[in-house]
Amino acid sequence: MTPAKKTDDFKEVAVSLAIINKQDVPTFVRNLLRFYRVGGPVETNGHYAFNTIRDPAELRLDYPTTILPPKKFLLPPKETLFEFDSAHEFKIKPPRLEPRTIIFGVHTCDLHAIQLLDHVFEAGHPDPNYNSRRRQTLIVSVECLSPCDEYSFCKSMGTLSADEGYDLHLTDIGDAYAIDIGTDAGQNLLEHASVRSETPTDMQRLNAVLSEKWPRFPYRLDFDVSDLPSLLSMSMQSPLWNELGERCLACASCTNVCPTCFCFDVRDEVELNLTHGQRSRVWDSCQLDEFATVTGGHNFRKSRALRQRHRFMRKGKYILDAHHHLGCVGCGRCARACLVNITPVGVFNELYRQKEVGGQP
Amino acid sequence: MIATTEKSLAQYADTENHLFMPVAARITKVLPLTALEKVFTVQLPEGLSLDHHPGQFVEVSLLGTGEAPISISSSPSRSNGNFELCVRKVGDVTQAIHRLQPGDMLGVRGPFGRGFPYEKFRGKDILFAPGGLGLAPLRSLINQVLDERALYGRVLILYGARNPSELLFKDELEAWSKRDDVELMLTVDRGDESWKGHVGVITTLFRDVSIYPRNTIAITCGPPVMYRFVLMELIGKGISEGNIYLSLERRMKCGIGKCGHCQINNVYACQSGPVFSYPEIKGLEEAL
Amino acid sequence: MTNRIDVHHVTRVEGHGNIVVDIDDGKIKECRFEVIETPRFFEAMLRGRSYLEASHITSRICGICSTGHSTASLRATEKALGVELSEQTRLLRKLTFHGEILDSHILHVYMLVAPDFLGVGSVIPLATSHREVVLRALRMKKLAGDICVVVAGRHTHPIAMTVGGFTHFPSAAELRDLREQLVASRVDVEATVDLCAKLPWPRFERDTEYVSLTKPDEYAFIDGEIITSDGYRLPVENYKEVTNEYLVPHSSAKLTRHKRDSLMVGALARFNNNYDQLHPKAKNAAQKLGIKPKVTNPYLNTAAQVVEIVHCVEDAINIIDQLLASGIKPEKPEPVNLEMCGSDGCNGVGAVEVPRGILIHDYWIGQDGRLTSANCIIPTNQNVANLEADMRALVPLIMDKPIDAMRLDLEMLVRAYDPCISCSVHVLKVEKKPSP
Amino acid sequence: MSPNNKPKVAFFDFTCCEGCQLTVVDSLQKYPDLLDAVEIVQFREAMTEKGEDYAVAFIEGSCSRLSDEPRLKQIRERAAVVVALGTCAHLGGVNALKYLHPLVDVQRYVYGDHAEWFETYDVRPIDAVIPVDFAIPGCPIDRDEFIACVNALLLGKKPPIPDYPVCVDCKLRENVCLFTQGKVCLGPVTRAGCKAICPTYGQSCEACRGFISNPNDSSMRNVLTEHGLDVDDVTSIYTMFTTYQVRQKMMAEEAKSK
Ligand SMILES: Cc1cc2nc3c(=O)[nH]c(=O)nc-3n(C[C@H](O)[C@H](O)[C@H](O)COP(=O)(O)OP(=O)(O)OC[C@H]3O[C@@H](n4cnc5c(N)ncnc54)[C@H](O)[C@@H]3O)c2cc1C
Ligand code: SF4
Ligand code: SF4
Ligand code: SF4
């Protein structure tokens, strides 16, 4: 085992590696469960979901994809901002601290998404709730060796690999995982695992696995993703938005399953005694009617066409401008969830086609 | 918990991880203005000051009911440890605020957003064009300007409301109208028996004003439908786009650039606004 | 002495009913129980709907026995379309059925009947005066509801039950959790038996014909044959021989009679007819309550319900054990074959014992999978004539009491039947039409 | 408000299965505080006492005969707030299914020759007879939502009934969409608030809570047809609980085209 790379030492390029045999993973997880809440992909009713692991046997590192991304551990669908004991006297308590958490089995697309979220919640006014949860969280990611299904387009979005953002990163090399140790905290986790140093054979297998995987993933965008922001800025008036608006059901499935969406609503709840209660934030969606509606009924994004445009502008441009990461990581979840087949690949390629044909989209 | 030396509310929130948790402030005075609007004078707990800029807003909340962004209607020049909010009763939170009495508590977060860069306005003529409740945020700047009156050129206020009973701050309007260093013009969409003044939408007032466009700053705030028309008038008067400022309303939940509701294309109104210069939003499809 | 008792909108029963007793000079002039619920026309509404929707629509006949209606409806469809059920489906259906029987019986015993004995108008004052009793009732009711939630999604208008099986399956963990709670609830069940053993049931006897389903191997709730205490036995398809529905102008429900002028269905009938198949613990409870077949005091219908509470809790535990032993499999619902219907359509009769007695759904389904005719026979209807006969027999015995006491005795009698009036105004179609 | 400051509430039922009242009773299991927060003065299904002085009236069931109207009007006069409780009261619900057949036909079918003994007329939601302040949707209502509404009433807020579709809740529960399992669903156009309970238990949403205020109906219908439904099936699924609304809409369109 080579010494861990220090997070603050950018010069050191040597990758710190360790090897864990597959049969030792359950014990590793079991050991972690004693100190951490562990979230990871489990099979439920014929699909996969990131859930809190109770039994290491549930963990399915070979999962294709999940309906909701692992984001839910960092930005839960509903989260207490604070509690109050007496509504009238303003006795406010900060939310209870959540347990230290390890998110196990994160794919690289989702890893990129988490890096974006980290930036969003750190920029400007740092968000105390997100940040305190993030500080309590370690990430163990896994290398994807074949596409989840026909909907994913991570390769086009540049998220098929990641060289930071994880504490540990696992690559399946047959009967073992090669562990790339990303941080000291990650290194410390390995105290709970029975790992060994890599052998030349391990390295050979790792290199082979990593180089063989790329051809398995298709490019699905017809143009280079670096052109996406400029393509979108030229596409504000595209007729495509109206077409999407006619089809879109405004069911918000696309944003609800997206690993990079972070908009929220804030709601108060109080018990029947009207004194104790809480203020929470809950996921919201720009696709819903009420999202940009103010009292009196004026909706600043009234048509579904404008809302779809806003969504794709955010994904491919606005978020990049503000946070230096693309707002779409190519996971394909929204495409899978959409009943009327509105997909980022389809939309982006169509805008590109319109531009090519018309000079202007 | 709260330091004894004076600290701004914003500093307090940042250092105490209090970003989402309102600070309890006390209402010291309630002044009904119209059937729908009341002005609340609010005092922060000892040791905290608001330190706001005209044009900024606070998130006001009642626990269990919810939160609403409300402009700070008083000027920093008259803070006195207090600030004023002019609240129109339209929904859950605002109705609940209207039920409050002096002595009651109110949660406050902020101040948020970017206010008016009024230092830049010094030496210039200022034309205020508020419509309806739009006077509430502009009043903060108007009074700031009036309190340092010598630093500015002409002050023109063109104010329109739907009918005479909806005119806000009537006492102040009265006082302004009596000053000879303020040019106040009022209009209502529909008059009544007692109304002797101008009748018509706010844009009809512009016909009767002459200004020196190159030295004029124009500021407007009002209901969503108003902006386009007022802008046409202002530009028609020759005011350069860079000298036109608007305060925009959007749905808002957090006030700190996260929740996404107030986005105007790629711009968060709660961060880059609510006050914008016209060139800043001119290219934004969704702004007006 | 002229007395008229008019109880409009009898309270603490499901649905709306009036009691009208007119006594003139010591003679009964009138004595009726009026069902005044608004007619609902469910049978007519079912016409033209897909066989898959029938159970969702009919569950809306009654919020209290909606699982019962769903089950009867599914059985009618399944019999019509020749669908065979897996063992797991049978067990899950029985389990959620027990949940409903428990829910309904607990509601009836604690919230509708108990206030009479404790001299109050509702369960609400009991929340202060007898808090422990009320909390126990809520606890037991919650468990009953939870059984339905785990198996079918919810009690009122179950979701996961469909033709040929289920669309959702409980996890082993959920079942184990239920089992634990059921075992823990034995204390509450025992307390319920003890409480009821002390109640001063009014004395009143009148023999009648007790009618229920029966099965060779178990205390019948779903399927079986019709049996009567007068010794008749017939397949459910011949239900009309027993029910003989007829209409009277004062009631929007249809009344039924068999060989005698009236008959009784419900917990007491099941107890009288199927006593031998009760769980041993239930028989012990019966002993404590001082009842054994044949019970002819209608007030004791409530006591028979208590016996069934014991039976259902124990049987639910057994069912869960069987399910856990074989392991829950996410089975696809059994397929149907509409071709089978032929040009005349096909017919099926589903019969179940809901809390208040035999419930029958009788459907004709066309080849396009849509219902061409439907008939539902609801237990409360079957009991109305018997209830009126009881009232006529009871009134002379209590005629000397003050009118308020008389009224209470009569209301208690009505409540003992636990009439579910919203169900009963389903209303029947007179003849069966094969599809054109 | 009563002297002890608890609002007096009363429950009434019209044509329905009483499942919603039962759900109210069941909500006590989770929220026993309800009895401390309000004073229930009338609840026929559970109590004998009848108080006629109430501030809030919860009405369950549809209005299905002329003779119910005066009673409804009386309730409206007495109560400051009238709440339609559950689908039958809110939309007409399954009771309105009989619209699909002419009324006389329905009566004959059920009562044979004695149809005229039993009064009935076009079933309608409560707000077709009296003004309703708000509705708690659902067949049956959801107990948490019911309590949240009571809560809002106590606070003087709008009841928190969502105006977004069931899919939102369904996704948050991480259900596999029924459309990908070869089934169909009305979730995309139906008002949420039920925690997407039907899709969660493997059954299509049948729109028991009514539609959101701005549904994309034509796209929804296309999706249903693409998934193999014919026009009759689509009508069937669209009318389970909302026959009244669908019919009103049709009649309005007819009137407009004339
Ligand atoms: C920067 C800014 C300054 C404002 N200044 C004032 C002011 O000085 N005086 C005043 O009376 N009003 C002002 N408003 C409008 C005020 O915020 C809304 O009227 C208020 O949020 C309505 O909340 P409610 O709970 O009473 O209404 P409800 O209808 O119950 O609102 C529900 C929720 O919708 C959101 N919402 C609805 N309308 C608006 C809106 N216009 N802006 C933001 N969120 C909204 C809120 O989150 C609110 O909690 C301002 C708005 C903004 C954005
Ligand atoms: S926009 Fe779609 S494909 Fe892109 S990250 Fe979000 S869910 Fe994944
Ligand atoms: S199952 Fe129904 S409610 Fe759920 S996502 Fe699919 S369409 Fe929407
Ligand atoms: S999923 Fe649809 S049918 Fe089911 S309860 Fe919710 S709204 Fe009603």
Side-chain angles (χ1 to χ4, degrees), chain A residues 45, chain C residues 92 95 143 146-153 168-182 316 320 323-324 328, chain D residues 173 200-201:
Chain A
N45 293 321
Chain C
L92 286 171
L95 183 56
L143 175 54
D146 285 352
I147 297 177
C148 301
V149 170
V150 166
V151 180
H168 179 272
F169 301 89
S171 68
E174 286 170 322
L175 287 177
R176 275 194 296 270
D177 184 52
L178 265 190
R179 187 185 192 284
E180 232 167 75
Q181 290 186 54
L182 281 163
I320 293 178
L323 285 166
L324 285 173
I328 294 283
Chain D
R173 293 192 76 159
T200 303
Y201 281 87

Side-chain angles (χ1 to χ4, degrees), chain C residues 47 344 364 372-373 429 431-436, chain D residues 105 109:
Chain C
R47 265 190 309 156
D344 278 357
W364 280 88
T372 52
S373 90
K429 177 186 89 63
E431 90 250 305
K432 203 159 51 180
K433 268 198 301 230
S435 76
Chain D
D105 179 26
Y109 185 72

